[in-house]
Amino acid sequence: MTRKLHLSIWLAGAAITIALTAGESATAQDIKIGSVLSATGPASFLGAPEEKTLRLYVDKINAEGGVLGKKIVLVVYDDGGDPNKARTFATRLLDEDRVTAMVGGTTTGTSLAMAPIFEEARIPFISLAGAVEIIDPVREYVFKTPHTDRMACEKIFADLKARSLVKIGMISGSDAFGKSMHEQCRKVADKFGVTILADESYGAQDSDMTPQLTNIKNKAGIQAVVNPGFGQGPAIVTRDFRQLGIAVPLYESHGVASKSYIELAGAAAEGVRLPAAALLVAERLPADDPQRAVVLAYKQAFEKATGEPVSTFGGHAYDGLFILVGATKRAGGTDPKKVRDEIEKTAHFIGTGGIVNMSATDHLGLDLSAFRMLEIRNGDWRLVQEDR
Amino acid sequence: MAEFLQFCFSGITVGSVYALVALGFTIIYNASDVVNFAQGEFVMIGGMVTVALLAAGVPLPAAALAAVGIGALIGVLLHRLAIEPARGASPVALIIITIGASIFIRGVAQVVFDKQFHKLPAFSGDTPFDLLGASILPQSLWVLGGAAAIVIGLHAGFDRTIVGKAVAATAANRLAACLVGINTKSMMTLSFALAGAIGAIAGILVTPITLTSYSVGTLLALKGFAAAMLGGIGNPLGAVMGGLLLGLIEAFAAGYLSSSYKDGIAFIVILFILLAIPSGLIGKRSVERV
Amino acid sequence: MLALQAPNRSVTLALLCAVIAVLAMVFPSGYYYRVAALVWISAIAAIGLNILMGYAGQVSLGHAGFLGIGAYSVAIGPARFGLNPWLCILIGMLLSTGLAWLVGRPILRLKGHYLAIATLGFGFLTALVLANETRWTGGPDGMAVARLSVAGVRLTSSVAWYWISGTLLVLASAVALNLYDSATGRALRALQASEIAAATSGIDVARHKLWAFIIAAAYASIAGSALAFFDGFITPDAAGFLRSIELVAMVVVGGIGSTVGSIVGAGLLVTLPQLLTVFVEYEQVALGFIIMLVMIFFRRGIVPSAQRFIVRRWS
């Protein structure tokens, strides 16, 4: 027993020593960028590609000479989707690692928990989360790159209205993403003349949604079904949708904007429509589309480096990083106030999510045209032609 | 009528998944009085390993067999490296060890596999059976059949074979089994291996329906544990009954009451059942010796 | 079985105060104060759970539910009802203890793993309600919490909360240690050893179990309120299953039955993820490994094992 005790004490001591002495050995000349991502936990589906993208491109930028001649040092922490932990890591980034900017915050919960800290410390924070609350009301130092869930609803409803399918049923995931988008959809429904006749929800980890879909199927007058959700839930909803033989059109959200949705849902995904960034249909974009070059390059680089299909979440991280890099270059240094001002002046930045034009009142910079309406045909994405 | 039947089918589909997980809990509990919170991870291993091997070009039957083998192996390692050295520790301490093990296994899975969701092809196709206006996936019947086969197999094994009887003896009274010459340590290891294998089989059977990723184990362990307690922990048939009942309650709650509270309603119903029948549906009534 | 000398109550409390004071002198930055404050807050909840699990021997896998109630009371009260934040701390405690009384009476009749499932269900349900009722609670994305002010000064810094939660911890420990030696404490320890023997010697088993449950709920509620005020933000995961398991792990790893053990357990489980970031993608592997290692080699918990070691060495 005493020997084991000794052993354990040694091990503990060693571990603590490693922990305290390890860490990025950066010089004062480097640009330190922090990132708190949910690489594990329920949002790892989003956080993992974000982390891979950031690391991939920081290495690339450094290999090509860095920014303003300085190397970028990326400090990444994994919050596991826990806002409390995220806040602790944010404090660590500011107090210990002394970062001058932050690109991260995979989920709305973690982003909202960290935003006040960066705001108070006057360090620019570019969030990678979806909810509109992150930038509305506008906080001086907080920005974001992904389209808001409200925009997704508006895009879907606009398409529904164009097809005269105004009576709908909704089935939403009960995770943060699904619920938030569900709330936004309810808020904007009237603007488009859409009535929600049935409103069901499912647990994010559920494996069978036939009870909820049966209720929707039995509701008379439903012309289309919208499914706000992300992860594996929508794939199962899609499969069950076909299993029950529901004949009306199904709309998914931008949360499933990744090839794996098509793989998981299989043949059931035929005919499903969803709003997504141009990144997903990179090859199909017309030659004169301004985003074509950027998204193709990112898609190829990501898929080559990771062997995984590209996802729009990784794309948001790409946009965040390059908006920051661009602003740093224009600011001529890492002074947080100057960088913040330059981020706010981002104009005509061509990212994977769209063309970004920020302003003092708009810390996102995207409009509805950044979303493309896609339809799944023969196991692949197709752009739905629309009036621009 | 059709919708009632559809809810039933949904309940059976989900319930059979819980039943398989609950079976694994029961086997380990029977042998060693340990509630193994890492049971869900065995299911995850079954699914993820098969997916990985399939992607590497191994044909499905061989991949499945390998996954079951790996599941059994992890069960053995769990017992030998984590549970056995802590023999004599309090039940709560053992639970914490199994929780640590589940975190460990999940952590390894994250590194070895990826964080995406994956699917396995359904064994007999995706076309649903239509029955009286309701439909059920063929894979659900495979899962149900698998659960039934395992229960029958376990029953036969414990009753008819010497090894099975030895395991049952170890579960009944470890000291007495030791005294009659049974190597109780090996029997316990065998039980863990069996639970690991069953968990892996469960994973392979259910992945076409539930999809799999490195983190599916946590919630499955929770629901499986609830199902095992509901049926009366220690009884394999009870585990299956508990699982099916839990699935049905969830389906009916989702269909008739509130789809956002279905999990909560299910727990409340379990609570009421346990208050009425304190040792679960067909659990042994425990006698407290003074 | 070696007879362990229970350390003098006052000495323990004095040592605790000393540790809190000394640490404050060596911390180099706000980050350390934050982590320590989180340790003190978690320790308060763990000590409460220890009273239930360690003194009374009842397992609870849903304890974070009460933490969530305490946290959301101070979030919702001021935001939706315009109530005074200090008052909301009290309301949170009333709600938690009230719910504990209501739910405890039936479920404490269950034993062992059945009780575990019932408490699990309670925690699960609480987290579910907090996540679903978006209009009140902000849903899974959580809600902001108005900060506490004392004499016009807003309490936001990690240093301030380090001292506040440290003080709360000393008070909480004092009460717990006192309880251990009191008549109620002895009754609880008796019923843990054998319910039937305790009942035959005249102890009202059901009532004492309920008391332990209620006290534990009160502790968790205070910890939850402190957490919400400290973070300025709260989400339903604070009441979730993983948080409940974490609390149980703190109590067990530190040593069931030992108040100091709960503090040590909290210290380990809160600081470990911070230390393990060096392992990057192997963090979870390392965490699981360490938990298993600690429980295998210190199976009674860290503090009791350390006590035995010391006693053996010096006797």
Side-chain angles (χ1 to χ4, degrees), chain C residues 91-114:
Chain C
I91 294 179
M93 268 188 68
L94 284 171
L95 279 173
S96 286
T97 48
L99 204 59
W101 182 82
L102 203 66
V103 170
R105 276 171 19 128
I107 70 175
L108 287 169
R109 281 192 268 142
L110 300 166
K111 304 218 198 312
H113 302 304
Y114 296 98

Side-chain angles (χ1 to χ4, degrees), chain A residues 16-22 77 87-98, chain C residues 19-20 22-41 157-163 165 230 267 270-271 274-275 277:
Chain A
I16 294 176
T17 321
I18 296 176
L20 291 176
T21 53
Y77 290 123
R87 207 181 159 93
T88 306
F89 282 126
T91 315
R92 186 168 171 175
L93 282 175
L94 292 170
D95 290 345
E96 293 291 298
D97 301 297
R98 306 212 174 269
Chain C
V19 167
I20 296 178
V22 166
L23 282 178
M25 292 191 254
V26 303
F27 281 159
S29 78
Y31 164 64
Y32 288 90
Y33 283 103
R34 176 172 167 88
V35 176
L38 288 175
V39 171
W40 303 153
I41 291 176
S157 74
S158 299
V159 181
W161 279 98
Y162 174 84
W163 289 111
S165 45
F230 181 25
V270 171
T271 53
Q274 297 298 320
L275 294 172
T277 54

Side-chain angles (χ1 to χ4, degrees), chain C residues 1 38 79 81 155 159 161 180 211 228 243 261 278 308:
Chain C
M1 175 70 200
L38 288 175
F81 296 108
L155 298 167
V159 181
W161 279 98
Y180 189 78
W211 265 115
R243 193 68 68 241
V278 290
R308 296 185 103 207

Side-chain angles (χ1 to χ4, degrees), chain A residues 177-378:
Chain A
F177 183 99
K179 266 214 157 61
S180 176
M181 186 167 161
H182 168 256
E183 291 297 311
Q184 293 301 321
C185 282
R186 286 206 85 97
K187 282 191 190 151
V188 301
D190 286 337
K191 226 169 70 171
F192 293 85
V194 169
T195 344
I196 302 174
L197 293 180
D199 199 351
E200 300 281 336
S201 78
Y202 58 90
Q205 306 241 31
D206 285 353
S207 48
D208 188 293
M209 284 45 140
T210 50
Q212 294 94 325
L213 287 171
T214 306
N215 284 342
I216 290 182
K217 182 178 177 186
N218 291 344
K219 203 56 180 237
I222 287 193
Q223 299 168 310
V225 175
V226 178
N227 174 208
F230 88 108
Q232 89 266 42
I236 297 178
V237 167
T238 309
R239 181 197 69 209
D240 290 350
F241 200 78
R242 299 293 171 224
Q243 178 191 333
L244 294 177
I246 304 180
V248 298
L250 175 63
Y251 280 78
E252 287 292 339
S253 72
H254 54 308
V256 301
S258 133
K259 229 4 178 345
S260 67
Y261 164 70
I262 302 183
E263 279 165 23
L264 294 173
E270 192 72 10
V272 169
R273 288 198 175 187
L274 62 137
L279 180 58
L280 288 185
V281 285
E283 290 98 355
R284 293 215 150 69
L285 292 172
D288 60 354
D289 189 307
Q291 277 189 279
R292 189 185 158 94
V294 171
V295 299
L296 258 179
Y298 172 66
K299 178 169 174 175
Q300 281 158 0
F302 185 86
E303 289 181 349
K304 185 157 153 243
T306 64
E308 284 168 17
V310 75
S311 84
T312 48
F313 308 109
H316 298 319
Y318 173 94
D319 293 351
L321 179 63
F322 280 96
I323 288 178
L324 179 62
V325 165
T328 309
K329 284 191 182 143
R330 293 196 299 273
T334 57
D335 175 60
K337 178 84 174 65
K338 292 204 187 117
V339 172
R340 180 220 88 88
D341 291 338
E342 288 305 325
I343 296 178
E344 206 173 57
K345 295 201 198 118
T346 302
H348 209 74
F349 167 80
I350 302 177
T352 63
I355 303 183
V356 181
N357 292 296
M358 294 204 196
S359 74
T361 49
D362 182 2
H363 277 195
L364 166 61
L366 294 173
D367 62 20
L368 273 187
S369 69
F371 258 146
R372 318 294 178 106
M373 187 53 80
L374 304 182
E375 187 173 297
I376 299 176
R377 286 250 164 258
N378 297 325

Side-chain angles (χ1 to χ4, degrees), chain C residues 223-290:
Chain C
S225 302
L227 184 66
F229 280 132
F230 181 25
D231 270 352
F233 193 78
I234 193 70
T235 59
D237 328 305
F241 171 63
L242 288 176
R243 193 68 68 241
S244 294
I245 292 291
E246 204 178 43
L247 283 175
V248 173
M250 286 177 194
V251 173
V252 176
V253 165
I256 286 198
S258 159
T259 303
V260 175
S262 301
I263 303 177
V264 170
L268 187 69
L269 284 163
V270 171
T271 53
L272 213 49
Q274 297 298 320
L275 294 172
L276 294 178
T277 54
V278 290
F279 290 105
V280 208
E281 48 188 21
Y282 292 93
E283 189 191 316
Q284 295 291 305
V285 177
L287 183 67
F289 184 71
I290 291 178

Side-chain angles (χ1 to χ4, degrees), chain C residues 81-238:
Chain C
F81 296 108
L83 298 169
N84 181 308
W86 293 98
L87 181 64
C88 291
I89 300 176
L90 208 62
I91 294 179
M93 268 188 68
L94 284 171
L95 279 173
S96 286
T97 48
L99 204 59
W101 182 82
L102 203 66
V103 170
R105 276 171 19 128
I107 70 175
L108 287 169
R109 281 192 268 142
L110 300 166
K111 304 218 198 312
H113 302 304
Y114 296 98
L115 177 60
I117 274 290
T119 52
L120 195 98
F122 166 74
F124 199 84
L125 197 54
T126 311
L128 194 62
V129 170
L130 291 173
N132 277 341
E133 296 307 316
T134 316
R135 215 162 317 162
W136 294 105
T137 67
D141 282 332
M143 60 186 288
V145 180
R147 304 302 196 105
L148 211 51
S149 329
V150 170
V153 178
R154 278 177 78 230
L155 298 167
T156 56
S157 74
S158 299
V159 181
W161 279 98
Y162 174 84
W163 289 111
I164 296 174
S165 45
T167 315
L168 280 174
L169 178 63
V170 172
L171 288 171
S173 310
V175 171
L177 289 168
N178 204 319
L179 186 66
Y180 189 78
D181 292 323
S182 71
T184 313
R186 285 198 300 273
L188 289 175
R189 286 188 278 150
L191 76 86
Q192 182 190 169
S194 164
E195 279 190 33
I196 297 183
T200 45
S201 52
I203 294 173
D204 185 340
V205 171
R207 196 164 69 100
H208 278 93
K209 276 198 215 176
L210 191 59
W211 265 115
F213 198 51
I214 292 175
I215 294 173
Y219 269 79
S221 178
I222 294 179
S225 302
L227 184 66
F229 280 132
F230 181 25
D231 270 352
F233 193 78
I234 193 70
T235 59
D237 328 305

